[in-house]
Amino acid sequence: MTDFAPAAARRKASPARLAMGLLAGTMLAGIPQIALAQDTEEAEATTPAPAVQQQTVQTIAVSGAQRLEPQTILSYIRLRPGDAWTQAVGDQVLKDLYATELFANASVVNNGGNVVIEVTENPVINRIILEGNKRIKNDKILPEIKLSPRQIFTRSKVRADVARIIELYKRQGRFAATVEPKMVQLSQNRVDVVFEINEGPKSKVRQINIIGNEAFSDGELRGEMLTKQARLTSFFSSNTSYDPDRLAFDQQNLRLFYLTEGYADFRVVSAVAELTPDKRDFIITYVVEEGERHKFGEVTVDSQIRDFDSDALAGRLPMKSGDWYNAKQVEDTVEQLTELAGTFGYAFADVNPEIRRDADDLTMDVNFVLREAPRVYVERIDVNGNTLTQDKVIRREFRIAEGDAFNSLAVSRSTARINSLGYFQENFEINQVEGSAPDRIVLEANVEEQATGELQLSAGFSSLESFILAGSIRQRNFRGRGQTVGLSVNYSRYSKSAQISFSEPYVFDRNISAGVDIYRRDFNSFNFRNSERNTTYEQSTTGFSLRAGVPLTEYLSAIGSYTFNYDDVSLGDEFFENGECRATRFLCEAIGERSSSILGLTLNYNTLNSRLRPSRGETISWTNEFAGLGGSEKYIRSRARMAKYWSIGSGFVFSLAGEGGWIRGLEDSDEPGRDSIRLTDRFFLGEPQMRGFDIRGIGPRIVRLNFVTDPDNPDGPRIPTPIEDALSSDQRFDDAIGGKAYYLGRAELEIPLGSGARELGLRPSVWVDVGSLFSITTPTLVNQPNGRQATQDGQLLFIDEDGLTTTDTVDADGNPLLPFIPASSFYREVFVGDTAAPRISAGVGVNWNSPFGPFRIDFAQIIKKEVGDDTKTFSFNVGTQF
């Protein structure tokens, strides 16, 4: 392996030869230097040189070429046969050859007019090898360097590539990185170029010093900077590394901070970043001048637009005379006045703040001038970039039409509606371009389509469900018409479902939506006993749903629906004895076939800026359903939901959500202890609606208490297990029976992460949930203190003389055996959980838009619960909307 360092010793050469040596800086070490034909000793003679007779070039020959043809080499020089030969001509030949960067060495010899050019070609690169790079992979470095296989090797390119690789590491904050290039000679004048990289440690910001600040402490000013000092508490922060771009950004942050506090003359005199001697860390020093603090003087508005009254606008401005001057507030006011003018059709209104400073009183007079502008009309709406989506799908979301007066609120609403489609890039904006006349404007919707088809295939294993298989396919922009078509199938040991759906947002190009769902769902309800899952009842539902919606206003719409369900609820054979149902009464009551014919009406109010990831706006919906237009079930059910989102700056999004519902039967039950609403039509509450509680973990339930032997009186009668022990036991036996009313509230704060986490779709949040499920007729409970004799294969069991069970009725002596009545047969049922008292949980969660679909993880802490509630600290959901 050969180093690229130049040879230590140089031959004594003439000035001309030295000049050629400098030009030949691309030579490799160990390769002979330039040799000129003239004798250098004669050139250095102390006596005056005699006049040299000028010669004419007769022939020009090339030797030493391997890959290049001699004629190609001669085409690079200016010398031709018949030209006069001089020392300067020979020097120029060498300059021309080295300028091509094709040669490692070259010499020119003139033998009486016969010029011979001897060359040594630069080698060809066989491979580029990177060694020692761990933080930056090959696929990030190789596209950034100039050298590549099958190119001609030159030392200048090597030096440039070394500098480029070091620059890449500096961008990552590794200023101690070094790169040493090496060359491996191969046959046929080929070389491997090896870059030995020592990445070094990541350079941190050890200290941030601020000089000249008096009004604010160093800590307050550091808090305004994006760059942070490296401390133990900032171990996971990426802002502790040095970045020159971030340094410039921090200077702007400092200036903005002081301008918002009234220091209009503030400036950063200098910002210097010094690398410590060990090249591991940086020390940043800011020198600032604060200047005097100013207040607002007279704040006025001078409107040259006839639709606006200057005094009325001035009275609504956020800043008042005597307030500390705030440049950011002035900037925001300019934007608000511009937007206000846009709502009245003045798209190109010019709002100019004129600021007059009084150095004596330290005040800033501000006059907002709204310059006269013509009312603007929409000349044309252009839609560009859509290759699949039809133009009408985009145009029908516009709340402004060609020829209308321009309105910035209508444009903003149009942007929000197009964003909510989910067909195009995030943060889509409608561009405003000047039209053919001063009072004309062109609106451009430059869209970038993204994939709208979804194919999900998943398989897994669960201790509860055994094998789980799921598959779905959905196209949210079918044939580019904005239609949604979906097919989903799910299969596991305890649940199976299949559904086909179709929706059309604009029927016959009119503002009427319609949709249909056809489905089949098989579900096995369960409880746990001895840590094992036990099926309680099986429900099969086959049905369809039709819906149609019309807008009432821009934000309010009405949706009507009709649903027909055919349900079949059954219990296993183990719940029957001699044809009689021996299960808990509410399970026995649910058995049978029935049909539900349901009419529904939903009013929906929606001002969200995005249906997928809202950050501001609100949504309210109210749904009423009537079952009884045919079918066997008759009830009225009502549900209401609302949510409001606030963007509170710096990427934080705060939201409040609430919902509630009730159901009332239209036919009262004649039997005591039997509710008019069947088990399968009631509300249930728990995961995933309310985090921190298990599936159906909240609300009314029946707990079975087994009778056990009294430890203080082993020979006495058996007593029921205390309910506290039963609820905490692994042998817990309970059944959730639902409720007829519920409420649920949620407060959540979404926390922004860095750009890398945003690209991965990670969105952490902290939350608090409050809710309850209640209102059910107290069921008739079963108390069986005497127990029933156990059976095996239909035969009664007895206890033999060894204490073992047997089907024999007498012992060996013919004496009758005692019947075997297991402890589990002695039980008492208790009804708990029917209370409107709130259950409260709090925790943290992370949303992830994973390649497998939406994924959410939550860790919860229970703050308040009631007797009988099932809690759950950790939960995750896949494929749910959030």
Side-chain angles (χ1 to χ4, degrees), residues 473-584:
I473 182 171
R474 187 171 70 141
Q475 174 56 257
R476 293 182 289 109
N477 189 14
F478 184 60
R479 297 186 300 167
R481 297 172 176 265
Q483 301 166 339
T484 300
V485 178
L487 170 65
S488 64
V489 177
N490 294 275
Y491 177 85
S492 70
R493 180 180 177 185
Y494 290 96
S495 63
K496 306 173 186 63
S497 67
Q499 178 170 319
I500 301 174
S501 61
F502 173 80
S503 64
E504 167 61 71
Y506 284 79
V507 178
F508 304 120
D509 293 330
R510 297 182 179 274
N511 202 0
I512 301 174
S513 63
V516 59
D517 298 317
I518 303 174
Y519 47 84
R520 168 63 184 258
R521 305 186 186 106
D522 294 339
F523 171 73
N524 292 2
S525 183
F526 61 91
N527 58 25
F528 287 95
R529 189 177 185 186
N530 299 333
S531 300
E532 294 183 359
R533 177 169 177 167
N534 301 303
T535 298
T536 54
Y537 68 88
E538 300 177 359
Q539 178 181 359
S540 297
T541 302
T542 305
F544 67 89
S545 176
L546 304 174
R547 58 188 179 278
V550 294
L552 303 179
T553 66
E554 173 60 27
Y555 302 104
L556 181 64
S557 60
I559 302 173
S561 64
Y562 174 75
T563 302
F564 182 84
N565 289 330
Y566 174 79
D567 295 306
D568 184 5
V569 179
S570 60
L571 295 175
D573 294 339
E574 64 272 17
F575 290 97
F576 291 88
E577 184 176 319
N578 299 324
E580 181 180 354
C581 179
R582 293 293 185 179
T584 306

Side-chain angles (χ1 to χ4, degrees), residues 453-458 472 474 476 611-613 688 760-763 846-858 875-882:
E454 299 174 5
L455 174 62
Q456 294 186 7
L457 299 174
S458 61
S472 66
R474 187 171 70 141
R476 293 182 289 109
R611 297 174 187 170
L612 303 178
R613 289 187 56 181
L760 291 175
L762 293 174
R763 293 180 290 132
V846 177
N847 289 324
W848 177 32
N849 292 331
S850 72
F852 312 102
F855 183 86
R856 182 179 178 98
I857 299 176
D858 284 291
S875 63
F876 69 92
N877 295 292
V878 181
T880 57
Q881 183 64 41
F882 51 83

